Amino acid sequence: MDSVRRRALEKFQVKLGVQFKDLELLNVALTHSSYSEEFEGVPNYERLEFLGDAVLELASSTYLYKNFPKLSEGELTVTRASVVCGATLSKLSAKLGIGDMLLMNYSEESGGGRHRASNLEDAFEAVIGAIYLDCGWEIAKDYVWRQLAPEFENVKVGNLLPNYKSELQELIQQTGSNTIEYFEISESGPDHMKTFECGVKIDGKVYGKGVGKTKKIAEQIAAGEALKVISGK
């Protein structure tokens, strides 16, 4: 790493709000695979991305568990999926200016690599992985919370959900299935705090069930479970 790159990284870490002990970790987190292909032996962010993805999931899950105590497990899952998604991560990455800091070869850069959503998302996760390795869990968690807290606070359960029902509809059309049906299994609780359980059938067979504070949420969770069954995940 030359002195110009080091100064740029020192300035960038101020924007991140994290003081690195080893700036080389941050440098790797901001190195695209095209750069390491051109300069053999230079590590890229792919391994850090893998680690950062796991840290991101745990940190965001912890935030939701602590700050949304009334949400059920299914509601926590869909809320997390609504926020911790490619669109959000690439938006936050662009806001931080991560694209401008990426090392990449000429071909990738000339093809719009600095602004490509997938690159921004991957590097965002890699930076989290670098923070975790350099500074530990608490600082990595706090960093994730700072980045995602405004997004989570904007969530209104039932208004911002992944559209699993549309995804399921598209998928079964591709598989040649004929019918999809959502049905109510149960309704419980007082009028001001009802809980619904709904299920989804595909060609008469139940593929998923979900519980939520509205039928809409329960159906979305059921559709999400059906997608997992069909995809084998």
Side-chain angles (χ1 to χ4, degrees):
M1 185 194 319
D2 62 25
S3 60
V4 174
R5 178 66 172 173
R6 179 172 291 278
R7 284 195 297 272
L9 291 173
E10 288 172 347
K11 184 176 180 180
F12 184 64
Q13 71 177 347
V14 175
K15 183 180 290 188
L16 297 177
V18 178
Q19 183 71 39
F20 277 82
K21 296 182 286 291
D22 181 7
L23 270 178
E24 185 56 38
L25 275 171
L26 180 57
N27 190 46
V28 173
L30 297 168
T31 301
H32 188 264
S33 59
S34 65
Y35 191 87
S36 59
E37 289 168 4
E38 183 168 322
F39 298 96
E40 190 174 347
V42 175
N44 61 58
Y45 61 51
E46 291 178 352
R47 284 170 54 83
L48 282 174
E49 176 200 345
F50 165 79
L51 180 60
D53 177 67
V55 175
L56 173 62
E57 180 171 346
L58 180 57
S60 58
S61 298
T62 303
Y63 183 91
L64 283 169
Y65 183 84
K66 288 180 174 292
N67 291 280
F68 291 77
K70 294 183 179 180
L71 296 191
S72 68
E73 185 247 351
E75 290 167 335
L76 289 169
T77 299
V78 294
T79 302
R80 185 182 63 198
S82 298
V83 175
V84 187
C85 61
T88 299
L89 301 186
S90 59
K91 178 188 74 174
L92 294 173
S93 186
K95 185 177 179 179
L96 287 166
I98 285 178
D100 295 332
M101 294 298 299
L102 290 176
L103 295 176
M104 56 181 59
N105 67 14
Y106 175 77
S107 177
E108 180 68 21
E109 182 169 9
S110 62
R114 292 194 183 281
H115 307 289
R116 186 170 292 121
S118 59
N119 288 345
L120 292 172
E121 177 187 353
D122 294 347
F124 185 87
E125 292 178 335
V127 168
I128 293 171
I131 294 171
Y132 171 73
L133 285 181
D134 189 84
C135 307
W137 160 248
E138 287 297 330
I139 290 178
K141 171 182 66 68
D142 290 345
Y143 171 79
V144 172
W145 285 15
R146 284 200 308 274
Q147 295 301 320
L148 289 178
E151 304 294 328
F152 280 128
E153 293 305 320
N154 285 332
V155 170
K156 302 297 181 185
V157 175
N159 296 328
L160 184 57
L161 290 173
N163 201 341
Y164 289 139
K165 292 176 71 172
S166 292
E167 290 182 36
L168 183 61
Q169 184 68 42
E170 292 174 6
L171 183 60
I172 67 167
Q173 288 173 348
Q174 295 170 8
T175 61
S177 300
N178 295 315
T179 62
I180 181 168
E181 175 190 356
Y182 292 91
F183 60 97
E184 183 178 324
I185 298 172
S186 66
E187 176 183 329
S188 59
D191 288 342
H192 68 284
M193 198 180 296
K194 283 192 176 296
T195 298
F196 298 88
E197 182 177 14
C198 294
V200 58
K201 295 179 181 178
I202 300 172
D203 289 346
K205 179 181 176 181
V206 176
Y207 273 77
K209 297 178 182 178
V211 177
K213 290 190 287 187
T214 68
K215 289 182 182 179
K216 177 182 177 181
I217 293 173
E219 289 177 356
Q220 288 283 10
I221 295 170
E225 290 302 309
L227 285 167
K228 290 179 184 178
V229 171
I230 294 171
S231 65
K233 295 182 179 180

